[in-house]
Amino acid sequence: MRLQRTIKEEIQIKGLGLHTGREINLRLRPAPRDTGIIFVRKDRNNTEIKAHVSSVIDTAFATSIGFDGVRVGTVEHIMAALAGLGIDNIYIELDGPEVPIMDGSAFIFTRLILQAGIAKQGKKVSCLRITKPIMLIERQCQIAVAPYEGLKITYSVHYNHPVFGEQRLGVDINEANFIKDLAPARTFGFLKDVETLRDRGLAKGGSLDNAIVIGNDNILNKGGLRFKDEFVRHKILDAVGDFALLGFPVYGHIMADKSGHSLNIKFLRKLLSFVDCWEIVSEPVAANPVFAVHV
């Protein structure tokens, strides 16, 4: 059975918050086994916030968690990096209300964790294995999960736009393919929505350096896309980060159509309430809780 994991060395990161526009200092520290993933607001009396779906307080344009009036926003990309690399226990310290957006993907977090090294810990990992299908439908969006050996995500996105219409991708997740095929996929948005977002106090730190910006009929980023289907890959990356808030690696096939953070979190809450649809079991060593990609 796979053993729990943390990082070998501390990691220091500095960057802008996507929505607040503030410069944030972030430090990752190794944590003992059974700690889980804990965010620590150093600027708010060291308030600790457990990375769990029960801590989610907002899903507008990002996933935010909070405790006792203290919040941490935009947690999904760093959560995806941790899940993708099988990190079970870690402290994430920061001096502001939002995880830095970096380049808009999980690539920088992933690279720094690999550079720091991953340490095995002396206790087995448990996983949440799906035993019966469950579905949630909300207007034109839906998400479901069914039994599967390992973790697979099949995702569809639809946009009525000249740059792209529909993209669909199925992912069987393992560590190598997460690093190569999912971690570099960047967040994206439409130029026409930028002014509205900023009027709402959002996207203050957004730029072509940390997001794909889609104009009326083109991509505004000079380098173009990293993948021809980068949009759906990023949606899968977001789902990896959101599902990591269950607190266990998931064994099942997740199928989503036009889902986002709000529906993802609603689904996780529904899933946890349907206790006859899953069980907690020891994770087989052969099946990494992170993902191998099949297009």
Side-chain angles (χ1 to χ4, degrees):
M1 304 298 177
R2 183 174 83 80
L3 297 178
Q4 294 183 26
R5 307 167 87 184
T6 188
I7 55 174
K8 289 183 177 178
E9 299 177 358
E10 292 187 0
I11 300 169
Q12 301 279 351
I13 302 171
K14 179 184 291 187
L16 291 179
L18 173 63
H19 292 302
T20 63
R22 287 180 50 179
E23 185 172 83
I24 307 293
N25 293 290
L26 183 146
R27 181 170 70 156
L28 306 182
R29 293 198 296 111
R33 64 190 188 187
D34 293 331
T35 299
I37 298 170
I38 306 293
F39 287 82
V40 184
R41 281 287 302 270
K42 301 298 290 183
D43 60 323
R44 295 294 300 273
N45 297 317
N46 291 318
T47 299
E48 295 187 356
I49 308 171
K50 189 171 183 63
H52 190 266
V53 63
S54 62
S55 301
V56 175
I57 58 172
D58 192 5
T59 52
F61 302 102
T63 299
S64 299
I65 60 176
F67 175 73
D68 198 23
V70 180
R71 66 185 289 151
V72 176
T74 320
V75 302
E76 59 270 17
H77 299 166
I78 196 166
M79 289 298 298
L82 296 170
L85 299 176
I87 303 297
D88 307 290
N89 304 303
I90 197 167
Y91 292 109
I92 304 172
E93 301 177 348
L94 64 169
D95 62 358
E98 188 177 15
V99 175
I101 190 62
M102 310 313 289
D103 70 344
S105 75
F107 174 76
I108 295 173
F109 298 128
T110 301
R111 184 190 66 197
L112 292 173
I113 291 168
L114 290 172
Q115 289 175 352
I118 297 172
K120 293 180 181 179
Q121 298 174 294
K123 190 169 184 180
K124 297 174 184 177
V125 170
S126 295
C127 72
L128 189 151
R129 182 166 68 188
I130 303 300
T131 57
K132 297 178 184 178
I134 182 171
M135 175 180 284
L136 179 60
I137 300 174
E138 192 173 87
R139 295 184 293 277
Q140 301 301 311
C141 308
Q142 59 184 6
I143 185 169
V145 66
Y148 190 77
E149 273 310 308
L151 176 60
K152 182 174 184 176
I153 300 180
T154 300
Y155 211 108
S156 298
V157 292
H158 310 261
Y159 290 93
N160 184 18
H161 193 276
V163 172
F164 71 105
E166 179 178 1
Q167 292 186 358
R168 187 173 188 273
L169 180 65
V171 176
D172 255 322
I173 295 174
N174 69 40
E175 186 173 312
N177 287 333
F178 173 81
I179 295 167
K180 177 176 177 287
D181 297 322
L182 293 180
R186 295 164 295 172
T187 192
F188 60 93
F190 296 89
L191 182 62
K192 63 181 179 63
D193 296 331
V194 170
E195 186 174 344
T196 301
L197 287 170
R198 288 183 172 164
D199 286 344
R200 295 177 58 182
L202 300 170
K204 293 179 180 178
S207 72
L208 294 173
D209 294 327
N210 55 38
I212 302 167
V213 180
I214 305 165
N216 291 333
D217 56 7
N218 65 329
I219 301 294
L220 300 186
N221 305 68
K222 288 184 179 180
L225 299 176
R226 294 175 177 175
F227 308 94
K228 64 180 181 181
D229 56 355
E230 189 167 0
F231 306 109
V232 71
R233 288 177 190 254
H234 185 79
K235 285 292 189 178
I236 293 174
L237 181 72
D238 278 347
V240 173
D242 285 342
F243 269 77
L245 291 170
L246 283 171
F248 295 96
V250 177
Y251 270 40
H253 183 186
I254 300 161
M255 295 158 279
D257 185 16
K258 293 181 282 189
S259 184
H261 295 302
S262 294
L263 193 60
N264 290 347
I265 298 303
K266 287 180 183 179
F267 180 77
L268 295 184
R269 289 173 173 154
K270 180 176 180 177
L271 174 62
L272 289 178
S273 71
F274 278 66
V275 295
D276 61 333
C277 292
W278 50 269
E279 60 184 357
I280 303 298
V281 298
S282 293
E283 182 191 16
V285 70
N288 195 301
V290 205
F291 320 20
V293 174
H294 301 291
V295 180

